[in-house]
Amino acid sequence: MKIGIAQLNFHVGNFEGNLRKMKEAIDKAAAATADLIIFPELAVPAYPPRDFLEFDDFIERCDKSIAELSRYSGGKGLAVIVGSPERNPVPEGKDLYNAAYFIEGGKVRQIVRKGLLPTYDVFDEYRYFEPSREFQIIRFKGKRIALTICEDLWNIGNENPLYTVNPMEELMKQEPEIMINIAASPFAHGHTNERKNVLKNNVKAYGIPLIYVNHTGTQTELLFDGGSMLINDRGRIVEELPYFEECIRYYHWDECFDKSNPLVSDHDQKWDKNSVVHKGLIEGIRNYFYKLGFREAILGLSGGIDSALTLVLASEALGASNVHAVLMPSMFSSEASVSDALKLAEHLGCEHRIIPITEVYQAYLDILKPHFKNRPFDVTEENLQDRIRANYLMALSNKFGYILLNTSNKSELAVGYGTLYGDMAGGLSVIGDLYKTEVYDMARWINRKEEIIPWRILEKAPSAELRPEQLDQDSLPPYDLLDQVLQAYIELEKGPAEIIAMGFDRKLVARVLSMVNRNEYKRHQFAPILRVSPKAFGMGRRMPIVAKYLS
Amino acid sequence: MKIGIAQLNFHVGNFEGNLRKMKEAIDKAAAATADLIIFPELAVPAYPPRDFLEFDDFIERCDKSIAELSRYSGGKGLAVIVGSPERNPVPEGKDLYNAAYFIEGGKVRQIVRKGLLPTYDVFDEYRYFEPSREFQIIRFKGKRIALTICEDLWNIGNENPLYTVNPMEELMKQEPEIMINIAASPFAHGHTNERKNVLKNNVKAYGIPLIYVNHTGTQTELLFDGGSMLINDRGRIVEELPYFEECIRYYHWDECFDKSNPLVSDHDQKWDKNSVVHKGLIEGIRNYFYKLGFREAILGLSGGIDSALTLVLASEALGASNVHAVLMPSMFSSEASVSDALKLAEHLGCEHRIIPITEVYQAYLDILKPHFKNRPFDVTEENLQDRIRANYLMALSNKFGYILLNTSNKSELAVGYGTLYGDMAGGLSVIGDLYKTEVYDMARWINRKEEIIPWRILEKAPSAELRPEQLDQDSLPPYDLLDQVLQAYIELEKGPAEIIAMGFDRKLVARVLSMVNRNEYKRHQFAPILRVSPKAFGMGRRMPIVAKYLS
């Protein structure tokens, strides 16, 4: 028996496109004489469809795709496993199941339903789906297959399991010979290793091999890294598919068992954090633009590290000729900033232009002065400069159909060191899930072979340049300290006592946590952020705005 | 036995404030010789605490509040029922229960756990809580009480029940004499009647009386309207507490039974939609400001209906002297708009000023002209005007510590007829859950006794006044038609075929649904919207941005 796995990049709600892609894969698999081709979880509508799942019309289109896949694969003489929602046939409970369709001989032969529904962080599955309480193996060409969906394998080896049931325990009673898991498992740095451990632990626990099929490509803020794999019955990774690439591979049944190739070594990919996050961000930009039907980006280039890194990433993702950089100096901008920014744009080959904000800024001050009642220069005037820049960028975005890329980093988003409708503007946040120290780290990695980002940008002290002699460090704790406290609070969800116990100053901790909580209202109005950490601002972190806790 | 019910306005995460409020209520109840006082669901942290529930420190503070409430009420000699999270003592499943603490004699005597966890629309309870599968009545002073939490009573009389279990069916086996339900049930127009029906159906089904205790006050976008009530064993509402007001009431045990007062009539309040939505919006503004520690608002007054209504609501909520109106005419503003706006501001007694945008607009055009490559006047220049106005308003907001109130309505938010960082700016959206036709309807209601909003504002054709002779109807379908299609799609979640079957033109439906879906990216960056409908934009409607469905 020959099994094909299709790690593909689908598009939420694009039924025609997704179906076309699956038909092409079926053609290829048929040509390769595969008996079975496997697509990932909810491949039909793509993942996550979110509240579209509440629309009857949307589910009908899923059903039509399943019917068409049945017809098409039947004609090609091969079986298909594919994820799609299924209507719950009984009135009690949620209206849908998150299901895997087993299609053979042109018909849906069996439907397997997901039992463990992730409802945490970016996941909302119990919002839509009823959990299955019954689990049946699939029989195909005399083989017994334990087919599960993503989270169903994740209640293992954990001292604090999230669920009270374990689908594989039920399935093992039916003596399956192999596990197949279809998934929609988003990327986060560190998560890839966790995923491998969980999957290997399943193989260890149940003693049978595992075929794992994940999505690749990105959907707004969620990045799916692929990394589909075959783990043989001895727990060795026979092959791990590339990260962030579409890929179809075939395996013979025997390859799933160590005896057929006892010398296979563990084939997992060892990517360092910067390489894989970099690849993820590139894909994140590309998918955002192309799936929305856009080609060109615009961004403000300040001469600082954040916009420099964003420009490099955007140029690689979209092609430098599709990225437009705008320098918008004020009387507070240093000459070094302007020349560093120019140097970078020229090096990359991006179209760039200089539009000073000084005159427009003065026009605002002239008309607003009588209304300011002689109050001194403060954050008002600083924010105004940021907002004029956003207006320039949005004007060019509107006039030419560019998407404005936001250049804020996670540290400043966390503490509210940014201007709403100013430097917080943009359709997509590229590096909003990288702390400032991670931004530097990736910039150094970008420069590992040659100077792409002028070294001077990495070396100078960060400044918003909104008033004379301004430095970030005047308003914020040093970034290496700040980022550690932020990580403890945001990623590790530690409280003040725990963070202080880690060795941080009590006042610093109180100040930082208060800044994070008080600025929830700003992040609420922020663009989607490409998620590369286990806890990003956005759909996976849901905080009250009007609250009084550590604030 | 005398039972007190405390319909109070709590504040998320404000443990000190919430505890103080509960102690005061205990003092009052003790003075009134009550035996028991009942606070609503999750009263200790207030509802919804959202992801704060994932912080150990947060749960610890809840536990400390429960300990302090026990100590305090013990000293006063009365029992307490109060909602607070409980740590799940077993490792399997979610870490918390949504619990009701029964405190008697200074000790937690029993903990009741919620069985049905709403995880739809604005609710995320399965994100945090394990559902209880066991239900035990409470025994207090020889009485048997079926204590449940909100949703636990909502799996009744429905042909399509959301859950596969029913806590009251279990509890009835233990022969309770009365039901007590503590709730956190947010307001939506129409929902109040649905709630009464569900509660009455429980009394009908089980033949015992019901005491229902809800929150009042608002938490960011969620409005809690109170409306706590006693329904006697014959299904008659003995008393319904006021909407959107704090209130403590006492009932004797006998009042719960019809025999003690067989002549009682059904005491539910009959408020028309405008009255209750108006009250809700006023409370929504007040709570947003006061709970965040702000007093003063600013908004742009255009002479149109949306900003006029917002100004009226804000003035009533905060006091006219705390609301600052800014008129920002351009060369495209009509004299009528300016004079109507002035008339309204003067009538209300708000501080108001005129700051024209013409010169700043010209300064932008001068500097941007060479970059526009001779392209004609288009949405770019229109948006620029909106953004200059937002900059003025945000400058005054920054300088004086005002919160900018947004004035967008639901129709324009739905179809994307608004400018990001322009008229879509603001910290709180007051009327973003009212369709344009509902805005008119409420404006007429405001004017029902005297002209508050100049009638001319209601009578003229809506216009954004961003280019000569512009009318909304040039770009959009007529609002009475548009709003019906929007409501079918957004509130009723109907698909295109269903909406066409309702009698709407095929092309119109396709156009409107496409506008809604394509503008998800704008709403993603919008302020929290005071939620008054069953389906508002915001936390209760979660849509993909990068998608290709009906778009």
Side-chain angles (χ1 to χ4, degrees):
Chain A
M1 184 155 76
K2 195 172 178 184
I3 301 172
I5 69 179
Q7 170 179 302
L8 298 176
N9 179 356
F10 298 103
H11 183 184
V12 169
N14 187 347
F15 292 101
E16 295 74 15
N18 295 346
L19 194 57
R20 194 181 323 118
K21 198 165 264 198
M22 285 191 270
K23 284 182 176 180
E24 285 167 13
I26 288 171
D27 288 345
K28 285 180 194 162
T33 69
D35 301 286
L36 170 66
I37 181 149
I38 309 169
F39 299 104
E41 178 181 11
L42 291 184
V44 165
Y47 194 96
R50 310 200 76 188
D51 285 2
F52 283 148
L53 287 169
E54 298 181 357
F55 286 77
D56 205 58
D57 175 77
F58 192 85
I59 305 304
E60 231 165 74
R61 294 188 195 209
C62 292
D63 291 346
K64 278 184 190 155
S65 291
I66 289 292
E68 178 57 15
L69 278 176
S70 303
R71 191 195 64 74
Y72 195 79
S73 62
K76 301 280 174 176
L78 85 171
V80 172
I81 289 173
V82 61
S84 193
E86 180 207 7
R87 291 178 206 266
N88 184 352
V90 304
E92 288 83 16
K94 300 277 187 176
D95 287 341
L96 300 173
Y97 283 103
N98 182 342
Y101 287 73
F102 174 59
I103 298 168
E104 190 191 0
K107 278 185 189 150
V108 175
R109 293 286 297 275
Q110 196 168 329
I111 297 176
V112 164
R113 297 161 175 171
K114 193 171 185 175
L116 308 186
L117 300 175
T119 305
Y120 53 78
D121 193 58
V122 299
F123 300 106
D124 275 315
E125 293 201 12
Y126 185 61
R127 184 173 170 91
Y128 313 107
F129 300 116
E130 182 68 11
S132 180
R133 289 161 192 90
E134 284 174 25
F135 304 95
Q136 288 291 328
I137 62 162
I138 284 179
R139 288 167 196 272
F140 176 54
K141 290 189 181 277
K143 310 290 189 192
R144 297 186 305 281
I145 299 170
L147 172 60
T148 56
I149 304 175
C150 205
E151 193 87 348
D152 283 345
L153 291 190
W154 282 71
N155 209 32
I156 194 163
N158 192 333
E159 282 182 17
N160 195 10
L162 252 180
Y163 308 96
T164 53
V165 288
N166 188 337
M168 270 312 298
E169 298 286 344
E170 299 304 311
L171 285 165
M172 282 311 292
K173 295 173 190 163
Q174 301 164 46
E175 300 184 351
E177 295 158 89
I178 189 174
M179 294 182 273
I180 293 176
N181 185 261
I182 64 171
S185 178
F187 169 75
H189 57 70
H191 183 69
T192 317
N193 282 334
E194 193 191 347
R195 183 198 293 161
K196 277 180 208 163
N197 287 336
V198 167
L199 297 178
K200 282 184 174 186
N201 283 341
N202 274 277
V203 171
K204 260 180 229 163
Y206 305 117
I208 56 175
L210 167 62
I211 292 173
Y212 171 80
V213 188
N214 193 16
H215 286 255
T216 188
T218 81
Q219 311 286 352
T220 313
E221 59 199 277
L222 292 189
L223 280 46
F224 295 90
D225 57 344
S228 304
M229 65 188 100
L230 167 58
I231 306 179
N232 75 15
D233 62 339
R234 287 284 290 278
R236 287 182 177 129
I237 295 177
V238 176
E239 185 175 45
E240 190 191 9
L241 269 55
Y243 298 141
F244 295 112
E245 283 181 29
E246 291 199 318
C247 185
I248 303 178
R249 291 289 165 83
Y250 305 97
Y251 303 102
H252 283 283
W253 179 262
D254 287 346
E255 283 181 85
C256 302
F257 299 88
D258 201 59
K259 59 180 183 289
S260 76
N261 188 7
L263 297 176
V264 70
S265 60
D266 230 10
H267 273 108
D268 57 333
Q269 304 164 68
K270 303 280 186 212
W271 289 42
D272 64 88
K273 178 178 159 188
N274 279 314
S275 311
V276 66
V277 168
H278 174 261
K279 187 88 186 274
L281 295 178
I282 298 294
E283 279 307 301
I285 298 169
R286 266 186 203 146
N287 278 259
Y288 189 84
F289 277 69
Y290 298 162
K291 286 179 178 171
L292 283 176
F294 284 77
R295 300 256 142 204
E296 296 181 67
I298 188 167
L299 57 79
L301 197 63
S302 70
I305 185 79
D306 300 314
S307 56
L309 178 59
T310 306
L311 186 70
V312 170
L313 294 169
S315 301
E316 189 169 342
L318 306 172
S321 62
N322 290 316
V323 182
H324 308 272
V326 188
L327 285 74
M328 296 167 287
S330 74
M331 59 284 257
F332 306 123
S333 303
S334 65
E335 269 187 51
S337 289
V338 175
S339 69
D340 291 343
L342 282 177
K343 187 176 166 190
L344 175 64
E346 278 158 16
H347 179 84
L348 295 172
C350 298
E351 190 210 45
H352 53 277
R353 66 186 76 209
I354 300 180
I355 318 180
I357 65 163
T358 326
E359 283 161 46
V360 172
Y361 179 60
Q362 196 53 53
Y364 273 107
L365 294 184
D366 289 347
I367 196 145
L368 289 173
K369 192 166 186 260
H371 303 280
F372 283 170
K373 297 184 183 163
N374 294 320
R375 298 217 178 178
F377 181 104
D378 64 9
V379 72
T380 307
E381 287 80 2
E382 294 185 26
N383 288 354
L384 191 51
Q385 298 165 52
D386 279 331
R387 292 191 179 114
I388 295 167
R389 293 186 175 114
N391 289 0
Y392 284 2
L393 294 166
M394 288 305 295
L396 294 167
S397 157
N398 286 158
K399 198 55 109 184
F400 298 103
Y402 308 150
I403 291 179
L404 173 58
L405 288 176
N406 178 276
T407 63
S408 304
N409 64 62
K410 191 172 188 173
S411 308
E412 61 193 17
L413 289 172
V415 298
Y417 195 66
T419 303
L420 263 179
Y421 325 130
D423 58 318
M424 289 185 73
L428 178 70
S429 162
V430 176
I431 57 167
D433 200 24
L434 296 183
Y435 289 112
K436 189 80 173 186
T437 46
E438 293 176 307
V439 168
Y440 278 106
D441 204 37
M442 180 164 290
R444 279 188 295 267
W445 180 86
I446 299 268
N447 277 4
R448 68 198 179 285
K449 291 179 191 155
E450 51 167 337
E451 183 186 61
I452 291 170
I453 299 170
W455 282 109
R456 202 162 63 165
I457 292 181
L458 280 88
E459 283 151 12
K460 69 183 174 190
S463 166
E465 298 194 333
L466 296 167
R467 55 184 144 85
E469 310 294 324
Q470 185 179 30
L471 291 179
D472 291 11
Q473 301 307 268
D474 304 338
S475 317
L476 300 177
Y479 280 116
D480 54 349
L481 205 58
L482 174 64
D483 287 357
Q484 290 181 64
V485 175
L486 290 174
Q487 214 205 3
Y489 183 56
I490 295 163
E491 268 87 347
L492 307 180
E493 297 195 329
K494 290 189 184 297
E498 295 162 288
I499 301 175
I500 291 161
M502 289 167 73
F504 296 98
D505 176 68
R506 178 176 301 271
K507 272 191 192 161
L508 171 81
V509 171
R511 181 178 163 220
V512 172
L513 272 48
S514 167
M515 284 194 285
V516 175
N517 287 6
R518 277 187 289 111
N519 285 292
E520 205 53 57
Y521 77 100
K522 284 191 184 178
R523 290 187 294 270
H524 184 87
Q525 298 192 31
F526 192 60
I529 299 169
L530 295 177
R531 177 184 177 273
V532 296
S533 83
K535 187 56 85 178
F537 294 125
M539 66 189 283
R541 190 171 184 276
R542 303 177 188 171
M543 289 295 177
I545 293 174
V546 175
K548 196 177 169 72
Y549 172 61
L550 311 176
S551 58
Chain B
M1 182 155 76
K2 195 173 178 184
I3 301 172
I5 70 178
Q7 170 178 302
L8 299 176
N9 180 356
F10 297 103
H11 184 184
V12 169
N14 187 346
F15 292 100
E16 296 73 14
N18 295 346
L19 195 58
R20 194 182 324 118
K21 198 165 264 198
M22 285 190 270
K23 285 181 175 178
E24 285 167 14
I26 288 171
D27 288 345
K28 285 179 194 162
T33 69
D35 301 285
L36 170 66
I37 181 149
I38 308 170
F39 299 104
E41 177 182 12
L42 292 183
V44 165
Y47 194 95
R50 309 201 77 190
D51 285 2
F52 282 148
L53 287 169
E54 298 181 356
F55 287 77
D56 205 58
D57 175 77
F58 193 84
I59 306 303
E60 232 164 73
R61 294 189 195 208
C62 291
D63 290 347
K64 278 184 189 154
S65 291
I66 289 291
E68 179 57 15
L69 278 176
S70 302
R71 191 195 64 75
Y72 195 81
S73 62
K76 301 281 174 176
L78 85 172
V80 173
I81 288 173
V82 61
S84 194
E86 181 208 6
R87 291 179 206 265
N88 184 351
V90 303
E92 289 84 15
K94 301 276 188 178
D95 286 342
L96 300 173
Y97 283 104
N98 181 342
Y101 287 74
F102 174 59
I103 299 167
E104 189 191 2
K107 279 186 188 148
V108 175
R109 294 287 296 274
Q110 196 169 329
I111 298 176
V112 164
R113 298 162 175 172
K114 192 172 185 175
L116 308 186
L117 300 175
T119 306
Y120 53 77
D121 193 58
V122 300
F123 300 107
D124 275 314
E125 293 201 13
Y126 184 63
R127 185 174 169 90
Y128 313 108
F129 300 117
E130 183 67 11
S132 180
R133 289 160 193 91
E134 284 174 23
F135 304 96
Q136 287 290 331
I137 62 163
I138 284 178
R139 288 166 195 275
F140 176 55
K141 290 189 181 279
K143 309 290 188 191
R144 297 185 306 280
I145 298 169
L147 172 59
T148 56
I149 305 175
C150 206
E151 193 87 347
D152 283 345
L153 291 190
W154 283 71
N155 209 32
I156 194 164
N158 191 334
E159 282 181 19
N160 194 11
L162 253 180
Y163 308 96
T164 53
V165 291
N166 189 336
M168 270 311 296
E169 298 286 343
E170 299 304 310
L171 285 164
M172 282 311 292
K173 296 172 190 164
Q174 301 164 46
E175 300 183 351
E177 296 159 89
I178 189 175
M179 294 181 274
I180 293 176
N181 184 261
I182 64 172
S185 178
F187 169 75
H189 57 70
H191 183 70
T192 317
N193 282 334
E194 192 191 349
R195 183 198 293 160
K196 277 180 208 162
N197 286 337
V198 166
L199 297 177
K200 282 185 171 184
N201 284 341
N202 274 277
V203 171
K204 260 181 228 163
Y206 305 115
I208 56 176
L210 167 63
I211 292 173
Y212 171 81
V213 187
N214 194 17
H215 286 255
T216 187
T218 82
Q219 311 287 350
T220 314
E221 58 199 275
L222 292 189
L223 280 48
F224 296 90
D225 56 344
S228 304
M229 64 188 100
L230 167 57
I231 306 180
N232 75 15
D233 62 339
R234 287 283 289 279
R236 288 183 176 127
I237 295 175
V238 176
E239 185 174 44
E240 190 190 10
L241 269 57
Y243 298 141
F244 295 112
E245 282 180 30
E246 291 198 316
C247 186
I248 303 177
R249 291 291 165 80
Y250 305 96
Y251 303 102
H252 284 283
W253 179 262
D254 287 345
E255 283 181 86
C256 303
F257 300 88
D258 200 60
K259 59 181 183 291
S260 76
N261 189 5
L263 296 176
V264 71
S265 60
D266 231 9
H267 272 109
D268 55 335
Q269 303 164 69
K270 304 279 186 212
W271 289 43
D272 64 88
K273 178 179 159 188
N274 279 314
S275 311
V276 67
V277 169
H278 174 260
K279 187 89 186 272
L281 295 177
I282 298 293
E283 279 307 300
I285 298 169
R286 265 185 203 147
N287 278 259
Y288 189 84
F289 276 70
Y290 299 162
K291 286 178 177 171
L292 283 176
F294 284 77
R295 299 258 142 204
E296 295 181 69
I298 189 167
L299 58 79
L301 198 62
S302 68
I305 185 80
D306 299 315
S307 57
L309 178 59
T310 307
L311 186 71
V312 170
L313 295 169
S315 300
E316 189 168 344
L318 306 172
S321 62
N322 290 315
V323 182
H324 307 273
V326 187
L327 286 72
M328 297 167 287
S330 73
M331 58 284 257
F332 306 122
S333 303
S334 65
E335 267 186 52
S337 289
V338 175
S339 69
D340 291 342
L342 281 176
K343 187 175 167 191
L344 175 64
E346 278 159 16
H347 180 84
L348 295 172
C350 298
E351 189 210 44
H352 53 277
R353 66 187 77 207
I354 299 180
I355 318 181
I357 64 164
T358 327
E359 283 162 45
V360 172
Y361 179 59
Q362 196 54 53
Y364 274 106
L365 294 184
D366 289 347
I367 196 147
L368 289 173
K369 193 166 187 258
H371 303 280
F372 282 171
K373 299 184 182 161
N374 294 319
R375 297 216 178 181
F377 181 104
D378 64 8
V379 72
T380 307
E381 286 80 1
E382 295 185 26
N383 288 354
L384 191 51
Q385 297 165 52
D386 278 331
R387 292 191 179 114
I388 294 167
R389 293 186 175 114
N391 289 359
Y392 283 3
L393 293 165
M394 288 304 296
L396 294 166
S397 157
N398 286 157
K399 197 58 107 184
F400 298 103
Y402 308 150
I403 291 180
L404 172 58
L405 289 176
N406 178 277
T407 64
S408 304
N409 64 62
K410 191 172 189 173
S411 308
E412 60 194 16
L413 289 171
V415 297
Y417 196 66
T419 303
L420 264 179
Y421 325 130
D423 59 317
M424 289 184 74
L428 179 70
S429 163
V430 176
I431 57 166
D433 199 25
L434 295 183
Y435 289 111
K436 188 80 173 185
T437 45
E438 293 176 308
V439 168
Y440 278 106
D441 203 38
M442 181 165 289
R444 279 188 295 265
W445 180 86
I446 298 267
N447 277 4
R448 67 198 180 285
K449 291 179 190 154
E450 51 167 337
E451 182 187 62
I452 291 170
I453 299 171
W455 282 109
R456 204 163 61 164
I457 292 181
L458 280 89
E459 284 152 10
K460 68 182 173 190
S463 166
E465 298 192 336
L466 296 168
R467 55 184 143 87
E469 309 293 326
Q470 184 179 31
L471 292 179
D472 291 10
Q473 301 307 268
D474 304 337
S475 317
L476 300 177
Y479 281 116
D480 54 349
L481 205 58
L482 174 64
D483 287 357
Q484 290 182 64
V485 175
L486 290 174
Q487 214 204 3
Y489 183 56
I490 295 162
E491 268 86 347
L492 307 180
E493 297 195 330
K494 290 189 184 298
E498 295 162 289
I499 302 174
I500 291 163
M502 289 167 73
F504 295 98
D505 176 68
R506 179 176 300 271
K507 273 191 192 160
L508 171 81
V509 171
R511 181 178 162 220
V512 171
L513 271 48
S514 167
M515 284 194 286
V516 175
N517 287 6
R518 278 186 289 111
N519 285 293
E520 205 54 55
Y521 77 99
K522 284 190 182 177
R523 290 187 295 270
H524 184 87
Q525 298 192 30
F526 191 61
I529 299 169
L530 295 178
R531 175 185 178 275
V532 297
S533 83
K535 186 57 84 178
F537 294 124
M539 66 189 283
R541 190 172 184 277
R542 302 177 188 170
M543 289 295 177
I545 294 174
V546 175
K548 196 177 169 70
Y549 173 60
L550 309 178
S551 59

